[in-house]
Amino acid sequence: MKYLTWFFIGVVGIFIFVYVILFTGFGNSLIKPAIESKIREETKLDSKLKVFSLSMSDFQIILQLNENNTIKAAGTYSIFQNLLIYNTVLI
C-alpha cells in the first residue's frame, strides 16, 4: 500500500509538472528560449520570438524573422476533440 501511494504521488507530480511547463506563463517563459534557439538554428536568421503564449485552449505566437518579416499566429484548439482553429498573418 505504501508503494502504491508513492507511485500515485509520483504520477500526479509528473502531471502537475507537465501542466506547469506547457500551459502557464511561467512555463512558457522557460520554453521560449529553447524554441527561439531552435528556430535560429533551422532558419539561419537572427529570429526573435516576440510572443509565445500557450494555454489549455488557445495559443498566440509572434515570430520576427528579421526586420521586414514577421509571422503572427493565433488560434484555439481542443486536445480532447482533436480540433484546431488558427489564423496566420505574414507581415
Side-chain angles (χ1 to χ4, degrees), residues 48-77:
K48 176 132 177 88
L49 197 55
K50 296 279 189 178
V51 174
F52 177 75
S53 175
L54 179 65
S55 69
M56 284 293 290
S57 62
D58 62 352
F59 66 93
Q60 181 179 10
I61 300 169
I62 299 176
L63 174 64
Q64 185 175 13
L65 295 172
N66 57 32
E67 299 169 356
N68 301 321
N69 296 314
T70 303
I71 300 171
K72 294 181 181 181
T76 60
Y77 64 93

Side-chain angles (χ1 to χ4, degrees), residues 78-89:
S78 174
I79 295 172
F80 302 112
Q81 294 178 351
N82 292 332
L83 177 66
L84 175 66
I85 301 169
Y86 64 94
N87 184 19
T88 304
V89 178

Side-chain angles (χ1 to χ4, degrees), residues 3-84:
Y3 294 114
L4 185 60
T5 303
W6 281 109
F7 176 75
F8 180 72
I9 290 171
V11 169
V12 169
I14 290 171
F15 279 120
I16 291 171
F17 176 76
V18 168
Y19 175 81
V20 168
I21 294 298
L22 292 179
F23 301 118
T24 65
F26 173 73
N28 288 337
S29 67
L30 292 176
I31 294 173
K32 183 178 173 181
I35 294 172
E36 192 171 16
S37 68
K38 187 66 174 175
I39 291 170
R40 284 183 183 157
E41 177 184 315
E42 294 295 326
T43 62
K44 310 281 192 282
L45 297 171
D46 189 26
S47 304
K48 176 132 177 88
L49 197 55
K50 296 279 189 178
V51 174
F52 177 75
S53 175
L54 179 65
S55 69
M56 284 293 290
S57 62
D58 62 352
F59 66 93
Q60 181 179 10
I61 300 169
I62 299 176
L63 174 64
Q64 185 175 13
L65 295 172
N66 57 32
E67 299 169 356
N68 301 321
N69 296 314
T70 303
I71 300 171
K72 294 181 181 181
T76 60
Y77 64 93
S78 174
I79 295 172
F80 302 112
Q81 294 178 351
N82 292 332
L83 177 66
L84 175 66

